[in-house]
Amino acid sequence: MDPIELNGLRPIQETNISPERSLKGSSPSGESFADMLTKAVGSVDQTMKESEQNIQSFIAGETENVHDVMISMQRAQLSFQMMVEVRNKAIETYNEISRMQI
């Protein structure tokens, strides 16, 4: 078996990308970049809400496991930091493209 096949990659001759699909700005799964960003922001929001719920239940005395609360807080913090970094890269890319001479 070819090492390229092990990684799920195919040679260029076998790819089947139509010009219409590549011009639409969507991925092979049919999902646009805006849809992916919307899902990612929704996921971060859900993680933050779950963390807040865990904190509230800990404060109310409904749960005594502080480790789960801390893990959910760290997960929410890391996902938020990742979202901010993606935003920063997108803004940096936009600024760089806008400075290009045509």
Side-chain angles (χ1 to χ4, degrees):
M1 183 171 270
D2 201 15
I4 293 176
E5 292 176 19
L6 291 176
N7 292 330
L9 300 175
R10 293 175 289 169
I12 294 175
Q13 297 87 358
E14 294 180 21
T15 57
N16 188 12
I17 299 176
S18 65
E20 295 82 23
R21 191 176 78 195
S22 63
L23 291 176
K24 290 180 186 175
S26 62
S27 66
S29 65
E31 186 175 40
S32 71
F33 183 69
D35 291 339
M36 288 181 2
L37 284 179
T38 302
K39 281 184 181 179
V41 170
S43 175
V44 170
D45 183 49
Q46 183 64 32
T47 304
M48 302 276 288
K49 287 178 181 176
E50 289 172 4
S51 175
E52 184 66 29
Q53 181 63 35
N54 287 341
I55 293 169
Q56 293 299 326
S57 66
F58 181 74
I59 291 172
E62 297 170 2
T63 184
E64 294 181 11
N65 194 350
V66 71
H67 300 299
D68 288 339
V69 175
M70 293 300 292
I71 289 170
S72 70
M73 287 172 54
Q74 285 297 315
R75 184 176 295 132
Q77 180 184 8
L78 286 173
S79 64
F80 184 76
Q81 286 176 347
M82 178 69 162
M83 181 184 67
V84 168
E85 289 301 320
V86 168
R87 181 208 62 170
N88 290 345
K89 281 293 186 184
I91 290 172
E92 181 181 322
T93 303
Y94 172 78
N95 288 335
E96 188 172 326
I97 290 172
S98 69
R99 286 190 299 259
M100 284 184 180
Q101 293 182 0
I102 298 176

